[in-house]
Amino acid sequence: MAMDWAAMERDLIAEIRTGDGSVTSGPFAGRPVLLLTTVGAKSGEPRTTPLVYTVDDGRMVIIASKNGAPTHPAWYLNLVKEPTASVEAGGERFRVQASVVSDTAERRRLYDQHAATHPSFTEYEARAGDRVIPVIVLERLP
């Protein structure tokens, strides 16, 4: 039976917003998850997506893997068009500036560090084929 991703995302968003920001159930239990709200590149509407993340030198790191699909996720395309977004994590909500990591060595370092915490990202990279999975850093705005 196929997983209902939309229902899982709705449940995850609700759990993060109604609790202390941590995840205690499902496949993301115990993992650091943030809610990224972007502006839809086509619709102009707010779009909220739960994403696992790591932290590097005070910046949040997210990976546009889309589970290794051949195309980029919509939230990534939204950030490319409008790199200012909001994040909910650890019971806080704040604005961030997103930057796609363009330096090849830095992208590799951050991707490997992320995959060490979230091993499924090693599989996603193998599945993605020729697509280079983008690494994005989120820096908190004042």
Side-chain angles (χ1 to χ4, degrees):
M1 182 172 171
M3 181 175 283
D4 183 349
W5 286 102
M8 185 184 74
E9 278 191 355
R10 282 191 303 275
D11 292 348
L12 196 52
I13 289 167
E15 181 179 2
I16 290 169
R17 286 184 171 159
T18 58
D20 62 2
S22 63
V23 179
T24 59
S25 63
F28 296 99
R31 295 170 73 186
V33 178
L34 60 77
L35 300 181
L36 177 71
T37 301
T38 59
V39 175
K42 293 178 184 172
S43 70
E45 297 294 318
R47 304 286 184 215
T48 300
T49 307
L51 299 165
V52 295
Y53 69 96
T54 51
V55 177
D56 182 76
D57 195 25
R59 308 168 302 168
M60 295 175 136
V61 178
I62 55 176
I63 309 288
S65 68
K66 198 176 178 183
N67 295 320
T71 59
H72 296 314
W75 64 260
Y76 169 75
L77 302 174
N78 295 346
L79 279 180
V80 168
K81 184 169 182 183
E82 174 50 66
T84 302
S86 67
V87 164
E88 295 168 68
E92 280 189 277
R93 183 182 182 118
F94 48 92
R95 303 286 292 160
V96 294
Q97 185 70 31
S99 304
V100 179
V101 178
S102 56
D103 178 80
T104 305
E106 179 68 352
R107 182 207 162 275
R108 180 80 266 152
R109 183 184 75 77
L110 291 171
Y111 195 101
D112 291 346
Q113 180 176 283
H114 195 85
T117 301
H118 308 288
S120 55
F121 282 82
T122 301
E123 297 167 29
Y124 301 157
E125 197 167 40
R127 259 188 244 153
D130 292 339
R131 177 170 79 96
V132 176
I133 296 175
V135 173
I136 301 93
V137 294
L138 304 174
E139 296 192 66
R140 192 177 188 139
L141 292 171

